[in-house]
Amino acid sequence: MKPILLHGHERAITQIRYNREGDLLFSAAKDHSPSVWYSDNGERLGTYDGHSGVVWCIDRDSTRVVTGSGDNSYIIWDCETGKQLHRIDTRAAVRSCGFSYSGRALLITTDQQRGYESEILLFGLDDPDQINKGEPYLRIPIPKDNAKITTAVWGKLDRYLIVGHENGEVSQFDAVTGEKLRHVLEHKKAISDINMYKDDSMFVTASKDSTAKLFDADELTLLKTYKTERPVNSAALSSLKDHVVLGGGQEAIDVTTTAAQAGKFDARFYHVIFEEEIGRVKGHFGPINSVRFHPDGKSYSSGGEDGYVRVHQFDQSYFDFEFEY
């Protein structure tokens, strides 16, 4: 399984995303210039230039791209031309962003900093005034005595939001009223990533407590736990096989003091149902910050602290492998 190395970023990768068809791969990094690539050959199509700080998140729908940054702003771009459509300033750094499945709403979350509390902002994209004036149709503040938001995604049919917090809590908020519907505290440390399954019926969380967990999306019931011995920064579910991939490694601040073998920077594959590890893929020489399966399940990509995005096409042996039970 020889990977394609995408090297266009000068600093650490923060998030990677495929488009729905899987022909494009979007990457955000700490170098201010989110990029878009062809996923089959690794050719870089271009960059979205306009931020002046770390770009923490990136998402796309059919024609637009949204990026959120530590420069206290998020920008909506034309996917094809790279032109800025809207730039909206926020009171604090934007930590996560995402278009709804219908493409008619936008989710933004902000950090708790400079005296401002962490917030969830929902914008209706059908109403130009909301975007132009930066006034969301729903603003959900997270009180300062609660844990700040670290990641958030849209739930099934855009009815609710799944939100991860710094204390390990997973919450579910109504996307119309803003009411907190459910919350569970299964992780012991901060949640670093949430990734939905292809039909939005369940999701996997990655946490600094060295575990990834599978939850039912409607009831927030804990279904499975995947244990490692290092912090998990990202996890993703395959649409083709019953597999979940975990990416992580020791904290980036400690990387220079240990060998690559000791840092455990490999991507690890687990069987979704049996919770057993079935394989590892080495390559990064720093922690993996984001992993995603291709929508067809025949390849996966990982972005690391080393600034590389690695695109892996699975060999035939991967598809022939059957878990024995």
Side-chain angles (χ1 to χ4, degrees):
M1 190 165 65
K2 194 169 187 293
I4 302 171
L5 267 62
L6 314 185
H7 187 48
H9 292 287
E10 297 170 359
R11 295 186 63 198
I13 306 296
T14 53
Q15 193 171 55
I16 57 173
R17 282 280 166 89
Y18 284 97
N19 65 343
R20 266 180 208 156
E21 294 74 30
D23 60 329
L24 299 178
L25 179 64
F26 298 87
S27 59
K30 294 181 179 179
D31 62 1
H32 314 172
S33 297
S35 299
V36 56
W37 318 74
Y38 280 125
S39 63
D40 56 349
N41 62 8
E43 179 187 348
R44 181 153 79 163
L45 284 164
T47 58
Y48 300 97
D49 296 321
H51 283 297
S52 58
V54 174
V55 181
W56 288 117
C57 58
I58 189 166
D59 196 27
R60 76 292 168 264
D61 68 359
S62 54
T63 60
R64 295 165 296 191
V65 175
V66 62
T67 54
S69 172
D71 64 7
N72 295 4
S73 74
Y74 65 93
I75 300 177
I76 300 175
W77 315 79
D78 183 290
C79 181
E80 186 178 359
T81 65
K83 178 186 173 186
Q84 277 192 36
L85 301 178
H86 304 281
R87 179 192 174 103
I88 297 91
D89 292 322
T90 55
R91 296 188 294 193
V94 175
R95 183 62 61 168
S96 54
C97 57
F99 290 107
S100 64
Y101 186 78
S102 66
R104 298 177 64 184
L106 177 65
L107 161 69
I108 299 290
T109 71
T110 61
D111 270 352
Q112 179 180 307
Q113 62 182 182
R114 297 193 308 163
Y116 295 114
E117 54 197 5
S118 189
E119 288 184 318
I120 303 171
L121 310 175
L122 296 182
F123 295 87
L125 297 174
D126 293 339
D127 181 1
D129 279 352
Q130 290 189 31
I131 293 295
N132 293 335
K133 297 177 180 176
E135 287 299 325
Y137 75 82
L138 186 61
R139 187 187 294 267
I140 308 171
I142 306 299
K144 290 182 182 176
D145 53 349
N146 290 16
K148 76 170 187 181
I149 298 166
T150 52
T151 183
V153 296
W154 287 94
K156 191 187 295 182
L157 301 176
D158 303 342
R159 295 196 314 255
Y160 53 78
L161 313 169
I162 305 293
V163 179
H165 298 265
E166 198 174 36
N167 64 348
E169 180 183 311
V170 179
S171 306
Q172 188 188 79
F173 289 88
D174 189 292
V176 177
T177 65
E179 178 189 358
K180 192 174 187 178
L181 303 175
R182 295 177 179 83
H183 64 98
V184 292
L185 186 59
E186 297 288 355
H187 285 290
K188 296 182 177 66
K189 292 183 181 178
I191 292 174
S192 44
D193 191 26
I194 296 177
N195 203 357
M196 301 296 289
Y197 186 53
K198 61 181 179 182
D199 63 0
D200 290 345
S201 62
M202 54 188 179
F203 62 89
V204 64
T205 58
S207 172
K208 300 293 185 188
D209 66 4
S210 304
T211 66
K213 294 178 186 285
L214 187 71
F215 291 88
D216 174 81
D218 286 334
E219 302 296 328
L220 296 191
T221 308
L222 177 62
L223 303 175
K224 301 289 178 182
T225 300
Y226 313 101
K227 297 178 182 176
T228 72
E229 63 285 334
R230 46 56 190 299
V232 183
N233 295 333
S234 186
L237 293 158
S238 171
S239 61
L240 185 65
K241 308 269 279 183
D242 290 331
H243 296 168
V244 58
V245 60
L246 275 56
Q250 66 185 125
E251 296 293 342
I253 196 170
D254 301 323
V255 168
T256 55
T257 61
T258 54
Q261 294 79 12
K264 299 184 170 60
F265 305 135
D266 37 0
R268 303 174 66 163
F269 289 79
Y270 287 75
H271 195 282
V272 169
I273 298 166
F274 298 108
E275 305 174 333
E276 290 190 24
E277 186 177 349
I278 55 175
R280 298 187 185 190
V281 178
K282 291 182 168 60
H284 285 284
F285 48 92
I288 297 173
N289 291 335
S290 188
V291 290
R292 288 292 184 271
F293 274 102
H294 190 284
D296 67 8
K298 295 179 180 178
S299 64
Y300 89 98
S301 296
S302 57
E305 194 75 21
D306 54 13
Y308 282 91
V309 178
R310 301 171 69 91
V311 181
H312 299 79
Q313 299 283 344
F314 291 122
D315 297 331
Q316 187 57 42
S317 57
Y318 172 83
F319 304 107
D320 295 338
F321 171 77
E322 294 295 336
F323 194 84
E324 295 181 5
Y325 56 92

